[in-house]
Amino acid sequence: MITLLWLTAPYVAFTSFLLGHLWRYRHDQFGWTTRSSQLYESRLLQLGSPLFHFGLLAVIGGHVLGILVPASWTAALGVSEATYHLMSVSLGTLSGLATVAGLAILLYRRITVPAVRRATTRIDKVMYTLLTAAILTGMLNTIGSNLIGGGYDYRATVSPWFRSLFTVSPHPELMATTPISFQIHNLLVLVLLAIWPYTRLVHVFSAPLGYLTRPYVVYRSRGDVPAPSARRYARAWEVSNRA
Amino acid sequence: MKLMAQLAMVMNLDKCIGCHTCSVTCKQAWTNRGGVEYAWFNNVETRPGQGYPRQYQDQQRWKGGWTLTKRGRLTLRSGSRVKRLLNIFANPDLPTVGDYYEPWTYDYDNLLSAPPGDTTPVARPKSQITGEDTTITWGANWDDDLGGGPEQISRDPVLAKISAQVKLEFEQTFMFYLPRICEHCLNPSCAASCPSGAIYKRGEDGIVLVDQDRCRGWRQCVTGCPYKKIYFNHKTGKAEKCTFCYPRVEVGIPTVCAETCVGRLRYIGVLLYDADAVLAAASVPDDHDLYPAQLGVFLNPHDPRVVAEAERAGIASEWIEAAQASPVYQLIVDYQVALPLHPEYRTLPMVWYVPPLSPVVDVLASTGHDGEDAGNLFGAIDTLRIPVEYLAELFTAGDVAPVRAALERLAAMRAHMRRVNLGEPVRPEIAESVHLTPAELEAMYRLLAIAKYEHRYVIPSAAASDAHRLDALASGCSLDSDGGPGMTALDAMDSKFHLTAHPADTHGAATPADKAHRINLLNWDGKSTDGLFPPIRANGAEHVRERTR
C-alpha cells in the first residue's frame, strides 16, 4: 500500500504530467489558452484573480523553498529551524490566505454569473474541485499543524521523500508516518499534476516572459506559417470537452 | 531604408449610404460562429454617435494606442511592458461584452410549438451567451441614423472634444456614416501589447494577423487596439480580428467588404513605405504633425530610386506596378483627399477616408443656394466650421486645415465637372485654387465617381509573384477546418463532392484579369459598352487594360 501510494502513484502522475504536456503542446496549440472569462464579467475577476494568482505564485515559491531545498542547505546558511518555521508559517499563512480569498471570489463568480457558469467545462469542474481541495488541505497543514498544532517538521519526511523520487532512490517509507492531512494534500496534488496537461492549467507554462525583451512589433513572412493539418482544430481540447 | 509594401484601403465617405452590406457580408464570411457572435470585423457607425463598442474612442478610459513619455519616447498608453505583465491576471482596461452588446437570438421554435391559446405566441429574445431570456438594451448599431436622439448622441467622445455651443447647432445639420475595419497599422499597438507575440504584421503585404496557435488568450491586444478591432472569442479563448480577407487578396481579388460595397466607395491598392521611418513618424511630438509624418513614410512608386530600392528589397515587379497604379496612392498622395482615422493614436493606420462633402452641399441646397457653385461651396466649408471641426477630430487630430483642403478639392471637382457636363466654359482657376490642373480634377472625378472594378481594386496576386509557394498552400487552406471560419454545409459539400476542383482554381476564376472574359452588365454607364462584353480579339491581341490616368 505504501509502495503504491508513495512510489507508483507519484511516478504515474509525473509521467502523465510530462508526456501529457508534450503531447498537448505538439497536437493542440489551438486549445492552449487561458480561456479567460473576463469578457463576461470583469469586476469580480479584477478583485479575485490577482489575489489568487499572486498568492499562488508565492505559495509555489514557498513550496520550492520548503520541499526542494534540503534543510541542511538552509542550516548551512545560518537559518535555524525555528527561524525557518516562523518564516514559513507566517509567509505561508499570508500567501495562503490571499490564494484562498481569491479562489473564493473566483468560485463565487464562476457559480453565480450565468455566462461564466455556462462556459465552465466538465474538465474545469474536476480541476476546480481538485485545486480547491489541494489548496484547502495545504492551508489546513500550514494553519492547523504548524501554526496552532505546534508545528510538524515536514522537512524531515515529506521533503526528503519528494526529492528521493528524483534521485532514483525513492524512499516511500518516509511518508508512512506523516500526518493524514499531509498525506491527503500530497495525494490531491499528485492527481492534480496527473490531469494538469489536459486542463486549462497548461497556461502556466505560457508565462510570456519573452515579452520583456522582444521588439514591440513582430514581422513575419507569409511563408513562415506552416499549412495546418486538417484535423488540428478538431482536436481543440476544451471545445470538444464542453460540458 | 527598409522598403516594404502594404495593401491599404481608402473609403469615400461621400458615397456611403449606411446600408451595412459590408458588415453583413463580412459577418457571414468570418464571424458567423459561436464565440464571436458579438464581433463585427467590419461595422458601420453613424457619426456623431457612440460607435462600436460604445465610446471606444475615449482613450482616457480604454487606454488604446500609443502615447509619448515625458522624455518623448513612444510607449503603449496602457503602460510599460512590466505593467502589462503585472495586469495579465486581470486586465483593468478590458471592455466586457456589455460594452459591445450582448448578442441575442429569438426563440423562433415557440412560434410553431406553442400550444393553442388565446394569445399569439411570441419569439422571446434569448441571450446567445447564457441561453437565458434576455432584454435587448443595446446592439452593434443602436444609435444608427442618430437613433436615440441627443441623449445617446451626446455621449459621442469625439463630440465631447468640440465646444458645447457648436454641438447644438451641429446636431441640426450633420450626420454621416463611418464604415470601419481593422486599420492594419504600420505601428500596430495590438501587436505591441501581445505578450505571446502571436499578433504579427506580414512582411509581404502588411496585413496584421493573429496566429491562432500562438495566442494564449492574455487579451492585452483588445486593450492595445485604440479602434477596438480585436475581438476575444469567448469560446476558443483566442483573439480574432479582421484579416483583410487575406485568402482573397492573395489571389488578387478584393476583400468581401469592398467587393460587396453597394456604393462602390472602397479602394484597395499597394503603398510602398519605409519601415525604418515608422518609429520616428509615430513619435513626432505634436499630434497635428502625425498626418504629414505618415505621408512622409510612404514612398513615391514613380521615383526610379524607389523602384530600384524596391527591386533590391525583393519586391516583385507586379507589386511595383500595382503600387504605381494604386488608387489608394492617388487619393492619399496625388490628390490628398484621403485622410487617416485618428492619427493621434500614433499607430499609423492604413485605412484612410475621403471626408464627406455631401452634408455641406445639402445644407447649402436646403438654404436656397446653389450647392454646386465653387464660390458658394468654398464659403460654406469655411463658415460651416462645425462639421469641419468634427471631421478634424476624426481624421487629423483636430487640425482643421487638411480637412478643409480636402473638402475644397472635392468642392472644386464638383464645380469643375458641372461646368464640363453642362457645356459651360471651363474655368481653370477653380482647379488652380486647389493646386490641381483641370485634367487632374477630371482624373480625380473619374476615380471617385465612375472608376471600374479593376481601377478601384489594384491588387497584385501573390500567385504571380510566388507561384511555387502558392502551390504548397493549395494542399490545405488554412481556414477549412473545424473551429475556423467557413464551417458550413457548403464546405462539407465542397470537400465531399469537389465542387471546386482545386482551391487555386476557384480563386483564379475570379481574378480581375479574367473579368475581361466575362459579360458584366453591371458596368453599364449608359454611354458606351466598354467593359460589358469580352473584347473582340484580333490576331490574338490581348485586351489592354486602360488606366484611369
Side-chain angles (χ1 to χ4, degrees):
Chain A
M1 185 64 183
I2 287 169
T3 318
L4 183 74
L5 282 183
W6 308 117
L7 181 73
T8 316
Y11 279 122
V12 169
F14 292 163
T15 310
S16 169
F17 183 84
L18 246 148
L19 293 184
H21 273 107
L22 273 177
W23 165 80
R24 190 155 178 207
Y25 193 80
R26 287 184 54 173
H27 292 285
D28 185 28
Q29 282 290 317
F30 183 61
W32 195 294
T33 156
T34 59
R35 282 211 27 259
S36 165
S37 57
Q38 196 180 352
L39 188 75
Y40 301 134
E41 199 283 337
S42 196
R43 204 176 50 84
L44 283 170
L45 184 102
Q46 283 186 54
L47 214 64
S49 182
L51 260 179
F52 171 75
H53 281 95
F54 285 118
L56 200 58
L57 282 177
V59 167
I60 290 169
H63 276 73
V64 169
L65 273 180
I67 307 284
L68 295 184
V69 177
S72 55
W73 292 16
T74 45
L77 283 171
V79 181
S80 72
E81 174 59 28
T83 320
Y84 171 82
H85 187 78
L86 185 71
M87 291 267 293
S88 118
V89 167
S90 56
L91 291 178
T93 306
L94 210 66
S95 49
L97 282 179
T99 312
V100 170
L103 185 65
I105 296 172
L106 291 181
L107 283 178
Y108 169 79
R109 169 180 181 271
R110 195 153 278 278
I111 293 164
T112 57
V113 179
V116 184
R117 190 173 64 232
R118 196 159 183 258
T120 310
T121 63
R122 210 175 303 147
I123 192 80
D124 278 348
K125 288 170 192 162
V126 175
M127 186 272 286
Y128 278 118
T129 313
L130 278 168
L131 190 67
T132 312
I135 288 174
L136 288 182
T137 50
M139 211 57 222
L140 190 73
N141 288 341
T142 300
I143 296 183
S145 305
N146 287 344
L147 193 69
I148 303 166
Y152 173 73
D153 187 10
Y154 50 84
R155 294 208 295 171
T157 53
V158 180
S159 306
W161 161 76
F162 192 76
R163 287 197 301 272
S164 74
L165 293 169
F166 293 95
T167 53
V168 210
S169 55
H171 296 289
E173 71 281 358
L174 281 170
M175 281 301 289
T177 56
T178 52
I180 185 78
S181 66
F182 277 81
Q183 296 196 1
I184 292 175
H185 178 67
N186 281 13
L187 282 177
L188 283 170
V189 171
L190 286 180
V191 181
L192 192 61
L193 284 176
I195 66 157
W196 192 295
Y198 319 106
T199 67
R200 55 202 287 190
L201 292 179
V202 291
H203 75 265
V204 172
F205 296 99
S206 299
L209 297 175
Y211 181 56
L212 294 172
T213 51
R214 73 139 217 262
Y216 262 138
V217 178
V218 179
Y219 288 91
R220 265 164 73 174
S221 165
R222 206 168 48 226
D224 296 348
V225 188
S229 76
R231 287 194 52 227
R232 177 197 241 169
Y233 294 109
R235 291 193 185 120
W237 184 262
E238 300 288 6
V239 175
S240 59
N241 276 279
R242 190 152 284 278
Chain B
M1 174 185 286
K2 187 171 180 357
L3 189 143
M4 294 182 98
Q6 161 116 19
L7 281 171
M9 189 185 280
V10 167
M11 301 192 212
N12 181 0
L13 296 185
D14 251 343
K15 298 168 89 175
C16 184
I17 59 171
C19 67
H20 303 274
T21 305
C22 47
S23 306
V24 172
T25 50
C26 171
K27 187 141 194 69
Q28 290 293 4
W30 290 103
T31 56
N32 58 351
R33 298 165 282 133
V36 281
E37 306 93 343
Y38 74 99
W40 295 81
F41 291 171
N42 182 110
N43 76 295
V44 183
E45 54 201 40
T46 304
R47 308 300 336 189
Q50 296 187 51
Y52 158 83
R54 264 182 272 193
Q55 302 187 313
Y56 69 94
Q57 287 147 313
D58 183 358
Q59 303 309 341
Q60 298 297 325
R61 181 171 171 207
W62 298 118
K63 306 278 196 292
W66 302 87
T67 189
L68 292 180
T69 62
K70 276 176 197 150
R71 285 189 292 165
R73 274 192 59 220
L74 198 64
T75 184
L76 289 171
R77 189 183 284 276
S78 55
S80 67
R81 294 175 198 244
V82 175
K83 189 177 169 201
R84 299 274 82 239
L85 284 195
L86 288 177
N87 279 335
I88 210 163
F89 300 132
N91 180 353
D93 311 310
L94 187 80
T96 54
V97 76
D99 291 305
Y100 299 86
Y101 69 101
E102 188 166 350
W104 73 89
T105 181
Y106 294 94
D107 182 16
Y108 293 111
D109 187 53
N110 188 47
L111 298 180
L112 301 173
S113 62
D118 295 339
T119 52
T120 314
V122 292
R124 283 182 184 283
K126 298 272 183 190
S127 163
Q128 285 186 306
I129 303 262
T130 64
E132 313 281 314
D133 280 343
T134 189
T135 318
I136 302 165
T137 54
W138 196 258
N141 223 5
W142 201 257
D143 54 4
D144 204 16
D145 291 345
L146 306 181
E151 190 203 334
Q152 296 295 347
I153 307 309
S154 60
R155 294 182 197 153
D156 178 349
V158 180
L159 209 54
K161 291 184 177 175
I162 310 178
S163 66
Q165 180 228 335
V166 165
K167 270 196 303 201
L168 277 174
E169 229 175 311
F170 175 59
E171 279 162 17
Q172 295 157 2
T173 58
F174 199 64
M175 176 189 97
F176 67 98
Y177 301 102
L178 183 71
R180 294 199 302 125
I181 63 171
C182 165
E183 295 281 343
H184 296 278
C185 305
L186 294 184
N187 186 31
S189 51
C190 58
S193 29
C194 174
S196 312
I199 304 184
Y200 61 98
K201 194 168 177 65
R202 290 214 303 198
E204 291 88 347
D205 48 21
I207 297 177
V208 178
L209 294 172
V210 184
D211 186 335
Q212 291 290 304
D213 277 351
R214 280 205 187 178
C215 173
R216 298 289 180 241
W218 299 121
R219 71 223 171 277
Q220 305 293 325
C221 53
V222 181
T223 297
C225 174
Y227 303 94
K228 290 292 169 280
K229 277 294 174 190
I230 298 223
Y231 303 90
F232 188 77
N233 182 323
H234 59 88
K235 286 236 167 85
T236 64
K238 306 257 167 169
E240 294 190 18
K241 67 180 289 299
C242 159
T243 64
F244 210 79
C245 288
Y246 72 87
R248 290 173 60 91
V249 296
E250 274 178 10
V251 293
I253 51 178
T255 62
V256 168
C257 54
E259 174 85 54
T260 59
C261 177
V262 174
R264 302 181 177 188
L265 59 93
R266 300 193 188 217
Y267 299 79
I268 298 175
V270 175
L271 286 177
L272 301 179
Y273 71 98
D274 179 6
D276 283 341
V278 166
L279 182 63
S283 312
V284 295
D286 186 353
D287 280 356
H288 288 186
D289 292 336
L290 281 161
Y291 162 59
Q294 185 170 1
L295 286 176
V297 175
F298 302 146
L299 299 169
N300 177 4
H302 307 292
D303 186 322
R305 289 169 303 176
V306 171
V307 173
E309 183 63 30
E311 281 165 351
R312 216 176 57 78
I315 290 175
S317 60
E318 197 197 0
W319 277 72
I320 300 174
E321 282 167 30
Q324 288 167 342
S326 169
V328 168
Y329 184 84
Q330 289 164 28
L331 292 172
I332 292 177
V333 180
D334 287 347
Y335 310 133
Q336 288 196 22
V337 286
L339 301 166
L341 182 63
H342 289 301
E344 71 272 24
Y345 298 160
R346 296 179 181 272
T347 59
L348 305 196
M350 291 299 276
V351 174
W352 289 38
Y353 294 88
V354 178
L357 183 69
S358 301
V360 182
V361 181
D362 289 346
V363 169
L364 271 182
S366 67
T367 50
H369 292 84
D370 179 355
E372 305 286 341
D373 181 85
N376 282 350
L377 266 175
F378 283 4
I381 292 167
D382 249 359
T383 49
L384 282 178
R385 286 289 298 271
I386 316 122
V388 176
E389 277 181 11
Y390 188 89
L391 293 172
E393 288 296 341
L394 279 183
F395 299 122
T396 50
D399 185 5
V400 175
V403 178
R404 188 195 291 135
L407 290 178
E408 281 178 357
R409 283 193 193 99
L410 293 172
M413 178 188 80
R414 277 175 190 258
H416 177 84
M417 286 315 295
R418 190 177 67 157
R419 300 191 85 82
V420 171
N421 289 335
L422 296 183
E424 292 171 7
V426 169
R427 286 170 49 205
E429 65 268 24
I430 294 179
E432 280 159 23
S433 69
V434 294
H435 308 289
L436 292 173
T437 64
E440 280 177 316
L441 272 189
E442 282 158 34
M444 182 172 134
Y445 158 75
R446 282 197 299 276
L447 184 58
L448 284 177
I450 56 174
K452 297 289 183 281
Y453 191 91
E454 59 266 36
H455 298 139
R456 283 180 281 129
Y457 312 125
V458 181
I459 306 168
S461 83
S465 62
D466 69 1
H468 60 282
R469 200 181 278 167
L470 200 72
D471 264 356
L473 277 179
S475 58
C477 173
S478 48
L479 297 169
D480 59 7
S481 44
D482 283 357
M487 215 175 68
T488 64
L490 189 66
D491 295 327
M493 283 163 69
D494 193 330
S495 62
K496 194 172 174 192
F497 300 113
H498 302 282
L499 295 180
T500 54
H502 199 259
D505 292 348
T506 355
H507 294 146
T511 57
D514 278 2
K515 293 226 173 247
H517 307 305
R518 292 193 288 169
I519 295 174
N520 181 8
L521 298 179
L522 294 174
N523 272 1
W524 193 44
D525 59 3
K527 284 179 190 155
S528 87
T529 55
D530 283 351
L532 302 191
F533 303 101
I536 303 159
R537 294 190 188 189
N539 307 326
E542 278 296 319
H543 172 76
V544 180
R545 275 205 264 154
E546 113 186 39
R547 296 258 184 247
T548 320
R549 309 172 64 214

